[in-house]
C-alpha cells in the first residue's frame, strides 16, 4: 500500500492537511493506498505556477524542448522497473 501525502507545486512538496487523505481502491475494492486531497489554494497555486512556467518553456527553441522531453524519457526508462512494479501493485 502506498501513500502520497502531498503535492509537488513549483518544486516544493506541499503536505496535505491532517485528515485530508483520500483512499484509493482497486476495482475489486482492495485498498491501494492514499493520496492527498488538494485544497482550492493548492489548485490555484499549481495553476499559477504552471502559467508562470509556460512563457519560459514556450521561449525555448524546439530542439531544446525536445532535449528536455528526451531527458525526461530517459529518466523514466531508468526507473521503468520501479514504475512497472507500482502499476502492477495498483492493478493497472
Amino acid at each position: 500500500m502506498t501513500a502520497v501525502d502531498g503535492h509537488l507545486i513549483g518544486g516544493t512538496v506541499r503536505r496535505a492537511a491532517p485528515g485530508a487523505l483520500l483512499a484509493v481502491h482497486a476495482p475489486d475494492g482492495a485498498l491501494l493506498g492514499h493520496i492527498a486531497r488538494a485544497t482550492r489554494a493548492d489548485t490555484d497555486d499549481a495553476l499559477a505556477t504552471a502559467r508562470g512556467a509556460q512563457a519560459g518553456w514556450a521561449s525555448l527553441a524546439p530542439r531544446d524542448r525536445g532535449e528536455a522531453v528526451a531527458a525526461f524519457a530517459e529518466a523514466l526508462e531508468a526507473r521503468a522497473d520501479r514504475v512497472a512494479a507500482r502499476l502492477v501493485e495498483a492493478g493497472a
Side-chain angles (χ1 to χ4, degrees):
M1 181 166 52
T2 60
V4 177
D5 64 350
H7 302 281
L8 183 62
I9 301 172
T12 302
V13 175
R14 182 179 296 184
R15 298 284 175 219
L21 294 179
L22 300 172
V24 178
H25 295 90
D28 68 1
L31 180 65
L32 297 175
H34 294 85
I35 59 171
R37 178 188 307 251
T39 65
R40 177 65 165 231
D42 293 333
T43 303
D44 290 344
D45 289 348
L47 289 171
T49 299
R51 285 186 186 114
Q54 195 280 329
W57 179 255
S59 71
L60 292 174
R63 173 183 229 88
D64 294 336
R65 290 195 302 262
E67 289 173 358
V69 171
F72 174 77
E74 288 176 19
L76 184 59
E77 279 186 32
R79 295 165 180 79
D81 289 344
R82 287 179 23 206
V83 172
R86 289 286 178 110
L87 290 172
V88 168
E89 180 182 301

